[in-house]
Amino acid sequence: MMSKIVEVAYLVHEMKMIYLDKMNLPERERDNNTKLHDIQMNNLKKDIVDSIIRHFPRSFNNLLEFHDWDTMIKWINKELKINKEAK
């Protein structure tokens, strides 16, 4: 679900950039929008990871093998692969 939210946010950003292209805004304005989007996405990803870590039961914290978005996605993919192979 988390990755879908981020995926949708990137899709909305691409749609926004297409709209801005049609408005013939200066390159600086486009760059500012891209930088703002990047900052917002990084904050969103950090908030998601922090929330998961904060709400994960303390007695099982040793099971969490991630501390940021990229390592979390790798961990999730690894766990999904393990579960798929176990079936």
Side-chain angles (χ1 to χ4, degrees):
M1 183 170 88
M2 301 167 300
S3 61
K4 282 292 183 191
I5 291 169
V6 172
E7 184 180 320
V8 168
Y10 277 107
L11 178 63
V12 168
H13 172 70
E14 289 303 316
M15 293 168 57
K16 178 181 175 182
M17 295 309 289
I18 291 169
Y19 177 73
L20 292 176
D21 280 343
K22 290 180 180 181
M23 292 178 58
N24 294 322
L25 293 175
E27 190 67 27
R28 182 175 178 166
E29 186 73 25
R30 287 181 40 80
D31 290 344
N32 287 341
N33 276 289
T34 299
K35 288 177 186 176
L36 178 61
H37 170 76
D38 291 343
I39 290 168
Q40 290 171 333
M41 291 308 299
N42 287 334
N43 288 339
L44 174 64
K45 290 175 182 179
K46 184 181 180 318
D47 289 345
I48 289 170
V49 172
D50 289 346
S51 179
I52 290 171
I53 292 171
R54 187 173 49 255
H55 291 96
F56 206 78
R58 291 180 196 259
S59 56
F60 296 103
N61 272 351
N62 62 319
L63 299 175
L64 294 178
E65 301 173 5
F66 59 86
H67 58 278
D68 62 18
W69 181 262
D70 293 332
T71 57
M72 182 187 74
I73 295 299
K74 287 178 186 176
W75 180 78
I76 290 171
N77 287 334
K78 181 182 85 170
E79 292 298 317
L80 289 173
K81 183 179 177 182
I82 290 170
N83 287 337
K84 185 178 179 181
E85 290 173 354
K87 290 183 181 183

